[in-house]
Amino acid sequence: MRFLLLCTVFLLLCAGCMDQSEEQVTIRVVSAGSMLVPLEGIEEAYEDQHPGVDIQVEGHGSIQAVRQITDLNRRFDLVLVADQALIPDMMYRERENEEGQYTDSFVPFATNQIVIAYTDKSRYADEINADNWYQILARPDVHIGFSNPMLDACGYRALMVTALAGEYYGDDGLFDRMIGDHINPRATVERYGDDISIVLPELLLPKGDKVSIRSGSIYLLALLDAGGIDYAFEYRSVARDHGLHWIDLPPEIDLSDPDFQDNYKRVQVNLGYQRFESIDNIRVGEQIVYAATIPNNAENPEHAEQFMDFMLKAIQNREYGGPEPL
Amino acid sequence: MQIHTFFICAVLIAALSICGCMSAPFESTDDRIWNLTLIGDTEEVLTLQELRSLPSVEGYGYGISTVGIKVGPNTYRGVLISDLIERVGGMGQNDLVYISADDGYLWVFGADQIKGEGFMTLNEDLKEIPSPGLSVICAYERDGEIIDEEWGGPLRVIIISNQENTIVEASSWVKWVDSIEVKRR
């Protein structure tokens, strides 16, 4: 009887040990907002295949995402940004009191393009097309929206596209009519030879109701849906994933095509002030490239790498929407 | 034996009850060393304790991030930023207020915003709603307790209202506030 009891206790202890060895692994991901929709599906599929793994995703604007690690000293296993330049700019820096940089490499994996998103309810929805979009958006009775350039890369990219459109269509006053004149104080465009500089005031407040500025894409989409605006500058993947109509813009200006990189680089946005100590207030136009990196202080780098490979494959196969693979 | 056990248990229960009664009701105190610099026409440095002794207001703070993550609602107590600005000369309608933090974060407010105007407000379904009365405060208490460092304490900008379910976009909720500066324009 005593022997039986001892065996039972032994078996129970073994079971305890085995449970411990199969402990849940948590992979913490900090991601740009425009990756959140595809990440939902990717996370679910990965967790189904790896029952011992819990993927936890936290969304931010891309700069704020990097800053969680570099400025706020939080630990994440994987970083996903909508602007690859942010990784070398912000993470190829020595960590305080530690050896090495925040990261040493990154993987570019997808691209996107700026489009004009709209709904059936949008004014002139039955008239707008790829040739006249800029004329429609500049009409005084058309309400347009973009996200706050201070908070969202899509916001400063919208301004870049508008300035490049003025040049592309030979309409020097386009930026002012569409956006600049409807901000108080005005947002101005300055030209230095071939280069274009958009200078924003410190406080970006709309004047009148021509322009609406929201802090992020989801609020812009809600406003579009409610009829508060007619057209919004959005990423193509976001417009598609939310079932909106959209107008594709010429590749010369939509920030998607590496062949036009030199043209994109001609435009820069001077944000009204330096919001973060770790990055300056000038954003230079370039092809939109998403990138992933595993920080050097990740808690589960091996698991993070496995998840990253899975995610890259899913993006490559366009399984869950999201930005286009490179 | 049973009587003895019963007696011990009764004594223990009584002791625990007395301990519970003797615990002082929660009182929020904060001994952390932290200075808030106010810069305007004049300059003043307030310690955390000095700030907490100023007239304060309380309301609901319910924030949402740029990607839609809700935080709250919580009850916050703090000092109106407008009151703090008054201590160093006030601000004009065209002036700006730079609020910065220990970690290098900076957010700029206009005069209307300091009065609680011009912020996007949402309901629980994330539909935009007309803004109720809002106040911008330098908060030092959350739900009756000091604001811990992880939450952005000891001092954090919070936009409060008297309506529990009013959501405000929270990019301007600067954590670890250490400086409030009026920029004349």
Side-chain angles (χ1 to χ4, degrees):
Chain A
M1 181 67 178
R2 187 170 288 178
F3 176 71
L4 195 65
L5 261 174
L6 280 171
C7 284
T8 308
V9 170
F10 178 71
L11 283 171
L12 283 169
L13 283 172
C14 287
C17 291
M18 281 165 71
D19 274 353
Q20 275 187 331
S21 68
E22 288 175 8
E23 224 170 58
Q24 188 94 348
V25 173
T26 300
I27 301 175
R28 302 184 67 222
V29 180
V30 63
S31 170
S34 52
M35 275 295 293
L36 293 180
V37 169
L39 273 176
E40 270 180 40
I42 294 168
E43 174 188 346
E44 198 180 327
Y46 192 81
E47 287 174 347
D48 281 351
Q49 289 181 26
H50 302 81
V53 177
D54 177 27
I55 308 290
Q56 292 182 359
V57 179
E58 187 173 309
H60 292 280
S62 290
I63 292 175
Q64 218 23 329
V66 176
R67 205 171 155 266
Q68 299 301 312
I69 292 145
T70 57
D71 293 8
L72 305 182
N73 297 315
R74 298 180 64 198
R75 293 182 77 175
F76 284 91
D77 300 298
L78 183 61
V79 182
L80 306 174
V81 291
D83 182 350
Q84 65 172 351
L86 295 175
I87 294 176
D89 285 355
M90 296 177 73
M91 296 187 76
Y92 285 10
R93 288 193 289 126
E94 292 295 316
R95 286 177 283 167
E96 275 179 32
N97 306 321
E98 289 182 72
E99 283 182 15
Q101 305 183 127
Y102 289 101
T103 194
D104 301 311
S105 62
F106 63 91
V107 182
F109 65 89
T111 184
N112 223 325
Q113 63 194 80
I114 301 293
V115 299
I116 307 300
Y118 66 103
T119 71
D120 288 330
K121 292 183 291 188
S122 300
R123 206 163 296 194
Y124 308 116
D126 54 353
E127 193 183 328
I128 194 165
N129 58 45
D131 297 323
N132 67 9
W133 69 272
Y134 64 100
Q135 293 162 333
I136 302 266
L137 264 64
R139 289 178 183 172
D141 58 343
V142 170
H143 304 292
I144 63 174
F146 56 90
S147 47
N148 190 336
M150 271 298 190
L151 299 167
D152 185 4
C154 193
Y156 58 74
R157 285 169 170 160
L159 302 178
M160 292 170 178
V161 165
T162 307
L164 288 171
E167 300 247 318
Y168 181 79
Y169 294 109
D171 183 347
D172 284 347
L174 182 68
F175 183 90
D176 292 340
R177 291 201 312 283
M178 206 187 287
I179 294 173
D181 292 345
H182 307 284
I183 306 289
N184 183 27
R186 290 181 74 250
T188 58
V189 174
E190 296 170 0
R191 289 182 171 78
Y192 305 97
D194 282 343
D195 295 335
I196 310 165
S197 182
I198 301 162
V199 182
L200 301 183
E202 289 150 302
L203 204 59
L204 201 63
L205 294 176
K207 183 174 77 177
D209 60 1
K210 167 75 181 170
V211 162
S212 293
I213 303 169
R214 293 294 181 269
S215 55
S217 189
I218 58 164
Y219 308 112
L220 218 48
L221 296 175
L223 199 60
L224 191 60
D225 189 49
I229 52 174
D230 299 302
Y231 299 93
F233 288 86
E234 274 294 353
Y235 290 125
R236 191 177 197 270
S237 68
V238 172
R240 185 196 59 218
D241 294 347
H242 287 83
L244 297 166
H245 303 304
W246 73 84
I247 300 288
D248 283 327
L249 307 181
E252 288 87 343
I253 67 171
D254 74 355
L255 306 180
S256 72
D257 192 332
D259 290 345
F260 295 104
Q261 185 76 299
D262 288 343
N263 195 46
Y264 305 153
K265 281 185 183 296
R266 293 192 303 118
V267 64
Q268 69 172 40
V269 174
N270 293 22
L271 302 172
Y273 60 92
Q274 190 171 338
R275 183 176 165 222
F276 306 107
E277 208 168 62
S278 45
I279 185 164
D280 70 17
N281 62 332
I282 294 175
R283 304 284 175 270
V284 178
E286 56 185 339
Q287 185 203 5
I288 300 165
V289 177
Y290 288 67
T293 187
I294 297 169
N296 283 335
N297 67 346
E299 284 182 32
N300 292 302
E302 286 169 19
H303 286 281
E305 191 151 355
Q306 285 171 23
F307 175 67
M308 185 173 78
D309 289 345
F310 183 87
M311 181 202 75
L312 296 179
K313 205 170 286 178
I315 294 287
Q316 195 65 38
N317 295 335
R318 299 181 170 88
E319 289 175 68
Y320 302 98
E324 285 292 298
L326 279 175
Chain B
M1 181 64 180
Q2 274 185 341
I3 293 171
H4 184 67
T5 307
F6 176 78
F7 179 73
I8 291 172
C9 286
V11 169
L12 278 173
I13 290 167
L16 285 170
S17 303
I18 291 167
C19 284
C21 294
M22 282 169 65
S23 305
F26 181 80
E27 198 173 290
S28 164
T29 55
D30 198 343
D31 298 329
R32 286 175 289 183
I33 295 170
W34 190 271
N35 289 333
L36 173 66
T37 304
L38 307 175
I39 304 166
D41 294 337
T42 59
E43 188 170 322
E44 182 179 10
V45 179
L46 294 172
T47 65
L48 191 51
Q49 292 68 35
E50 287 168 336
L51 183 89
R52 291 172 64 93
S53 70
L54 299 177
S56 62
V57 293
E58 190 175 75
Y60 296 107
Y62 195 175
I64 191 163
S65 76
T66 54
V67 296
I69 301 167
K70 295 178 193 170
V71 181
N74 300 97
T75 305
Y76 288 94
R77 174 170 290 281
V79 181
L80 286 169
I81 303 279
S82 54
D83 285 354
L84 294 170
I85 290 169
E86 280 304 315
R87 297 175 69 90
V88 288
M91 72 182 296
Q93 189 57 34
N94 293 323
D95 294 340
L96 298 173
V97 176
Y98 279 47
I99 299 186
S100 53
D102 188 45
D103 67 330
Y105 189 88
L106 168 70
W107 192 261
V108 176
F109 293 81
D112 288 341
Q113 291 176 328
I114 292 295
K115 293 178 209 156
E117 297 164 9
F119 294 106
M120 178 185 73
T121 45
L122 308 163
N123 64 17
E124 287 277 7
D125 299 324
L126 302 190
K127 296 275 185 284
E128 291 191 27
I129 54 170
S131 177
L134 300 174
S135 300
V136 184
I137 66 170
C138 185
Y140 52 75
E141 257 180 40
R142 170 175 163 257
D143 296 332
E145 297 184 23
I146 62 171
I147 304 176
D148 62 29
E149 188 184 349
E150 195 180 344
W151 198 261
L155 297 177
R156 182 172 183 181
V157 172
I158 302 286
I159 301 172
I160 57 169
S161 78
N162 57 8
Q163 293 179 12
E164 190 171 5
N165 295 327
T166 296
I167 300 173
V168 182
E169 204 281 306
S171 300
S172 59
W173 293 19
V174 183
K175 296 174 176 177
W176 311 296
V177 173
D178 64 3
S179 169
I180 299 175
E181 181 175 4
V182 179
K183 297 270 191 183
R184 301 281 180 217
R185 284 209 303 189

